[in-house]
Amino acid sequence: MEADINLSESMEDYLEAIYNLIKENGSARVTDIANHLKIAASSVNQGLKKLNQEGLISQEKYGPIKLTESGLKAAEKVRCKHRMLYLFLHKTLGVSQESADHDACRIEHALSEESFSKMVDYLIKNNYIEEQNCAFKMKAEKEEPKMAAEQLMLDKIKVGSKAEVVKIESKGRLKRKLMDMGLNKGAKVEVKGRAPMGDPIEIKVRGYSLSLRQDEAAEILVKEV
Amino acid sequence: MALNKTKRKNNELKVALAGNPNSGKTTMFNELTGSRQHVGNWPGVTVEKKTGRDSYQNYSLEVIDLPGTYSLGAYSEDEVVARDFLTTGDYDVVLNIINSSNLDRNLYFTVQLLEMGVDLIAVLNMADEAEKKGIKIDKEKIGQLLGTPVVETVASKGRGIDSLLAETVQHRDLSEAALKIDYGSEVEDLISEVVSMLKEFDFTSQINQRWAAVKLIEHDPEAVKLLEREVGVSKAKKIKSLIAERELKAEDDFDNIIIDKKYEFINKVISESVQRPAADQEPENVSDKIDAIVTNKYLGIPIFMAVMWGIFKFTFTLGDPLIGYIEAFFEAAGGWLGGLLVGAGISPLITSFITDGIIGGVGSVLVFIPNIFLLFLAIGILEDSGYMSRAAYVMDKVMSKLGLHGKSFIPMIVGFGCNVPGVMATRTLDSKRDRIISILINPLMSCSARLPVYVVFAGALFPNHASTVVFSLYALGIVMAVIMAGIFNKILFKGERSHFVMELPPYRFPTLKGVFIHMWEKVGAFIKKAGTIIFAVVVLIWVLANLPLGVEYASAQSLIGQFGQLMAPIFEPLGFGNWQAASSLVFGILAKEVVVGTLGVVYAAGEGGLRAALTANFSPLAAYSFLTMVLLYTPCIATLGAIKSETQSWKWPIITASYLFVLAWLVSFVIYQGGMLLGIGV
């Protein structure tokens, strides 16, 4: 579905900047984005407004900017294109690392779906990329929408059911905290119960009980087992 | 590999206890050091620093109990303290206390320490619990796989302590290499490149370079800061951009890969050394059964309410008679000593200084002790039994609606008894934001010292509605607390996200020793810290009440009385612009119940006469406005002292004192002027 959204070049830059900032600092603010992209805060605000209309980001009043699920997908896609282009330029054509990175940055916005997909096929065929690479994930999602459907967020798991962690989608400190508590890829969890008012929830992971708020559980992708 | 290791005598050892929360670390500390403990604070923070001494054979051991932590990626103040000590502190050996029945998560921390190259003994504690669960651990095998000595203990029963001490004083060969986990070719290549860059840049050789490289690759902010400090920003940037560039091409984010590989390693260690019963043969889990009741959809909240009511009853029903004794004792002591001094021909001024000032002042501090003692006894039992985290779990939804955290309810409940332990109880909150907001609104919980003021006024001016008036004041305090929490949440800490990722530890029977040591620490800290501040202010107020020389104690001519006259116009729009009311409020900052006493003195009336004096001087509306002021205005010195010592800064007590005064004035103004307009109670 992310392919339906036609993003302009600067919108993609914003998304990438937000993604990187959240990853590095755990949050993205207007001033950070402005510094990151070296542009005025007022134009960032305009851009954010547009992203908000597209449903790619959400921002509470005065709060930090968050990527929505489709925003995250779009940002990951831009990043993936960047990686693929870099690999293509550097590994197959022998362009220097620096130029490859710089050029990838410019080309990524203009690359069509078709060229992207063909380029990925070429890279895969010639063993330039390993499995689990982002390109594989994107292909898999496109070809097997059923597979993706079985995966859901931890807050949707019924009490008494078991699941396996696929991915932590939180960013920054919360992500580290969750992983430090043992919620990493492959960890088996069981939802033990909910607090009287439905939130937070109690789960069993690695042999002990852990509590999480609903919105924290909503950032943990799991598959039912 | 401690960085700042100072030279010690051969037979002196500095031993650090580190491990996950709920691994029995504190029990181990108590077992090792007994009563030879010293509790202070880590420099610059309110995190408790507990040290103690022990001896074994001819060795003398200094034991340091580090705050419990799940990993070296530090989140709360506690964890930062533990991490900083472990990475740069002055110690010889770490006893890593491990909960044997929860090896997966506990070993995650152990592995991090071992990678750092720490001289470490893995202490498999709670071995009996693991046995009960049918978990069999081959400790030789674990030791071999981790490359570190392993000892089995049951700290709560004193089992295995001797062999632990014997192992502690062994001299181990520190040149032995730190644990190396294989992070896969992609990361390993990068590690060796970063290590060679670190060498080239002359990065401190006192830190294990591989460990530093791994930390940098997983974007650890502290490691980046250290690097920038050590080699300068521009060289640090070279390393950072190398890592960023590689990550762009990597199959996954590096921090994901590194954490996954750590768990992979731990799983391998466990599968080779631990036997667990098959899932269907696992003995039934008592904790889960208790949880099914305690956090039940219908029973959870009533049980919580009952427990809170129980604590409240326990603390104040048992405590109040004791307070009576303490008060009576100090009164008698003051009277007796006063008589003695006057008899010996000591000047009345000095006599008054000793009796009113010093004895009265010390007494005003010590009256809080029975309540604090009992309260922390109750809190200790709740904490050690494991109920505390369930209570936070049950209440989190309501509290987070108010912009607070599930754990904030304890300080609020406690505040109804006394704000001093209320403020102290905010220590259970991890995030600074939650903690400061809980502290700021705590004085709005109407403490028991304000009750005598309500009772006297309600009895005099609202004889038929006394209980309604008192209840309305408590309710007003809660409403204000909710409103202020919302406001502070908006203006003080914009958008900071707190989380509720919290372990719910298994239920346990608290040990008497543990609870008593816990309680004693809290009470001792209160006497020491708050005591000094309160004492100083009490003396200051006594001086002001006696100056200029020769005036009657606390009369209109004394500095306090003059101050009251000066302040009186401020209270004019609130309906009580007389110097007596103003002075009583000034004295009320000493302790809220003093308001009644002061009014008695300044109206020169006894208890019975005071009612008449109040009826003559206050309209019902003015009285209600005055009570609102007493409820909301600047908290007592003891509370402000506690806020100062808990926040380690003068900023927060000053903010609390001033915002509450302004709030009290505004609300009283609205009540009085609104009442006047409507013609109620005039």
Side-chain angles (χ1 to χ4, degrees), chain B residues 508-584:
Chain B
R508 293 203 177 90
F509 269 109
T511 63
L512 209 59
K513 193 176 172 184
V515 170
F516 270 92
I517 288 178
H518 177 93
M519 179 182 78
W520 181 244
E521 281 165 18
K522 292 284 190 296
V523 177
F526 168 73
I527 296 175
K528 246 187 283 166
K529 280 192 223 146
T532 44
I533 296 169
I534 300 162
F535 180 68
V537 175
V538 166
V539 171
L540 177 75
I541 294 207
W542 178 86
V543 171
L544 291 179
N546 271 296
L547 286 180
L549 282 176
V551 295
E552 201 182 319
Y553 181 68
S555 64
Q557 287 74 40
S558 69
L559 283 183
I560 281 276
Q562 290 180 25
F563 189 60
Q565 285 171 344
L566 200 71
M567 296 283 282
I570 298 178
F571 301 117
E572 193 64 53
L574 314 183
F576 44 90
N578 53 60
W579 77 266
Q580 291 94 333
S583 314
S584 77

Side-chain angles (χ1 to χ4, degrees), chain B residues 309-332:
Chain B
W309 183 83
I311 294 186
F312 200 71
K313 266 303 206 202
F314 174 74
T315 307
F316 295 101
T317 339
L318 275 181
D320 287 346
L322 295 175
I323 288 184
Y325 294 137
I326 292 182
E327 273 173 347
F329 170 77
F330 277 99
E331 236 166 71

Side-chain angles (χ1 to χ4, degrees), chain A residues 3-211:
Chain A
D4 305 336
I5 302 166
N6 202 353
L7 288 171
S8 74
E9 181 173 330
S10 60
M11 292 302 114
E12 291 188 343
D13 281 337
Y14 284 130
L15 273 183
E16 224 179 340
I18 295 167
Y19 183 90
N20 290 333
L21 284 167
I22 292 178
K23 198 154 157 276
E24 274 166 38
N25 312 333
S27 73
R29 289 171 190 285
V30 175
T31 46
D32 301 335
I33 299 171
N35 287 336
H36 196 90
L37 295 171
K38 300 189 180 64
I39 50 175
S42 57
S43 33
V44 173
N45 269 325
Q46 275 183 359
L48 292 181
K49 214 169 151 191
K50 214 166 160 198
L51 287 176
N52 210 344
Q53 283 165 0
E54 300 274 11
L56 297 171
I57 59 166
S58 66
Q59 185 185 14
E60 281 165 41
K61 216 172 184 184
Y62 307 116
I65 296 143
K66 287 180 190 157
L67 289 171
T68 61
E69 212 163 305
S70 44
L72 186 68
K73 277 201 178 138
E76 275 176 348
K77 176 139 200 183
V78 175
R79 204 163 163 240
C80 185
K81 278 187 179 173
H82 185 107
R83 283 192 209 182
M84 291 304 112
L85 278 165
Y86 171 87
L87 283 179
F88 185 74
L89 293 171
H90 178 54
K91 293 247 165 120
T92 70
L93 305 181
V95 178
S96 76
Q97 290 197 349
E98 213 167 86
S99 309
D101 193 41
H102 180 256
D103 291 348
C105 220
R106 310 286 295 272
I107 304 171
E108 66 190 29
H109 306 297
L111 199 65
S112 74
E113 272 308 306
E114 192 188 352
S115 308
F116 175 58
S117 153
K118 292 274 187 247
M119 194 178 72
V120 169
D121 287 344
Y122 176 80
L123 287 169
I124 291 172
K125 207 170 73 195
N126 293 289
N127 288 325
Y128 284 112
I129 44 181
E130 296 162 40
E131 228 172 305
Q132 283 185 319
N133 207 312
C134 67
F136 275 95
K137 274 185 216 160
M138 299 231 156
K139 275 181 90 73
E141 259 174 45
K142 220 176 272 171
E143 281 157 19
E144 292 174 79
K146 256 196 211 157
M147 267 276 288
E150 277 175 18
Q151 299 186 347
L152 65 172
M153 294 337 248
L154 181 58
D155 65 321
K156 301 286 187 301
I157 300 282
K158 280 200 256 0
V159 173
S161 298
K162 291 181 182 170
E164 189 184 308
V165 175
V166 175
K167 193 182 175 202
I168 305 284
E169 299 198 336
S170 319
K171 302 283 162 208
R173 286 161 67 89
L174 178 59
K175 170 184 166 191
R176 269 315 285 262
K177 177 81 188 169
L178 290 168
M179 295 188 81
D180 280 347
M181 297 305 282
L183 280 167
N184 63 328
K185 197 169 71 194
K188 307 242 182 335
V189 297
E190 182 187 348
V191 179
K192 296 296 287 184
R194 285 174 198 284
M197 277 164 278
D199 190 20
I201 63 170
E202 178 182 349
I203 63 168
K204 198 142 239 178
V205 57
R206 295 189 188 276
Y208 77 100
S209 297
L210 182 75
S211 74

Side-chain angles (χ1 to χ4, degrees), chain B residues 157 273 306 311 331 381 494 534 547 578 620 652 655 663:
Chain B
K157 292 176 187 149
S273 59
I311 294 186
E331 236 166 71
I381 292 171
K494 275 181 257 174
I534 300 162
L547 286 180
N578 53 60
W652 297 112
I655 289 179
L663 178 71

Side-chain angles (χ1 to χ4, degrees), chain B residues 85-408:
Chain B
F85 185 84
L86 288 166
T87 49
T88 59
D90 174 19
Y91 59 88
D92 299 298
V93 56
V94 173
L95 305 188
N96 175 212
I97 313 297
I98 294 167
N99 178 348
S100 305
S101 56
N102 185 3
L103 281 177
D104 295 45
R105 207 200 54 222
N106 278 259
L107 285 181
Y108 180 69
F109 183 56
T110 311
V111 160
Q112 292 188 19
L113 292 176
L114 289 171
E115 277 189 292
M116 221 164 80
V118 165
D119 183 10
L120 174 146
I121 300 171
V123 184
L124 297 178
N125 193 30
M126 304 185 173
D128 54 341
E129 261 183 46
E131 250 165 63
K132 250 186 243 162
K133 285 190 177 176
I135 302 171
K136 289 198 187 81
I137 305 171
D138 180 348
K139 67 174 187 183
E140 267 75 46
K141 187 76 188 170
I142 282 208
Q144 197 189 321
L145 291 167
L146 294 175
T148 197
V150 178
V151 180
E152 257 182 3
T153 59
V154 183
S156 57
K157 292 176 187 149
R159 252 165 60 191
I161 304 293
D162 260 0
S163 27
L164 175 59
L165 286 170
E167 190 60 57
T168 306
V169 300
Q170 289 285 322
H171 287 282
R172 275 169 299 274
D173 185 7
L174 287 174
S175 62
E176 217 176 317
L179 176 70
K180 276 190 194 147
I181 291 174
D182 183 2
Y183 288 115
S185 61
E186 203 168 23
V187 176
E188 287 295 334
D189 290 350
L190 183 56
I191 291 175
S192 31
E193 276 175 72
V194 172
V195 166
S196 63
M197 281 172 96
L198 288 175
K199 286 216 175 92
E200 187 193 319
F201 295 157
D202 267 339
F203 185 67
T204 174
S205 57
Q206 282 168 297
I207 286 183
N208 182 310
Q209 308 259 310
R210 179 185 161 87
W211 178 73
V214 172
K215 280 279 151 197
L216 289 169
I217 292 170
E218 57 180 9
H219 309 295
D220 182 291
E222 292 297 319
V224 173
K225 261 188 244 161
L226 179 70
L227 178 71
E228 284 173 351
R229 245 195 343 261
E230 287 277 329
V231 306
V233 175
S234 65
K235 283 178 178 167
K237 205 171 174 193
K238 278 189 189 161
I239 297 184
K240 270 160 63 185
S241 54
L242 172 73
I243 295 168
E245 182 196 302
R246 286 300 165 78
E247 189 158 37
L248 213 56
K249 292 177 267 171
E251 60 179 57
D252 199 350
D253 293 346
F254 282 144
D255 49 351
N256 290 355
I257 299 179
I258 288 173
I259 292 179
D260 286 347
K261 290 283 179 188
K262 278 199 176 95
Y263 274 111
E264 221 170 82
F265 173 79
I266 291 164
N267 288 344
K268 192 172 145 275
V269 170
I270 289 176
S271 70
E272 287 181 28
S273 59
V274 180
Q275 270 184 293
R276 282 181 177 142
D280 53 342
Q281 279 164 16
E282 244 173 81
E284 53 183 349
N285 191 329
V286 182
S287 277
D288 284 354
K289 291 203 157 161
I290 302 177
D291 262 352
I293 300 166
V294 164
T295 64
N296 177 281
K297 190 171 177 184
Y298 304 103
L299 295 176
I301 291 175
I303 289 176
F304 165 79
M305 302 265 200
V307 170
M308 289 304 124
W309 183 83
I311 294 186
F312 200 71
K313 266 303 206 202
F314 174 74
T315 307
F316 295 101
T317 339
L318 275 181
D320 287 346
L322 295 175
I323 288 184
Y325 294 137
I326 292 182
E327 273 173 347
F329 170 77
F330 277 99
E331 236 166 71
W336 174 77
L337 197 62
L340 211 66
L341 291 172
V342 172
I346 308 286
S347 86
L349 192 67
I350 293 176
T351 306
S352 159
F353 177 73
I354 292 173
T355 55
D356 297 334
I358 296 179
I359 296 185
V362 171
S364 74
V365 178
L366 293 184
V367 288
F368 289 112
I369 286 178
N371 282 344
I372 292 180
F373 224 80
L374 292 165
L375 188 82
F376 279 105
L377 179 68
I379 289 183
I381 292 171
L382 283 196
E383 252 171 23
D384 289 1
S385 67
Y387 181 73
M388 201 63 107
S389 45
R390 268 72 180 191
Y393 173 75
V394 166
M395 290 307 288
D396 185 61
K397 182 81 183 173
V398 180
M399 299 307 281
S400 64
K401 281 241 160 74
L402 306 180
L404 292 163
H405 192 272
K407 288 192 225 165
S408 318

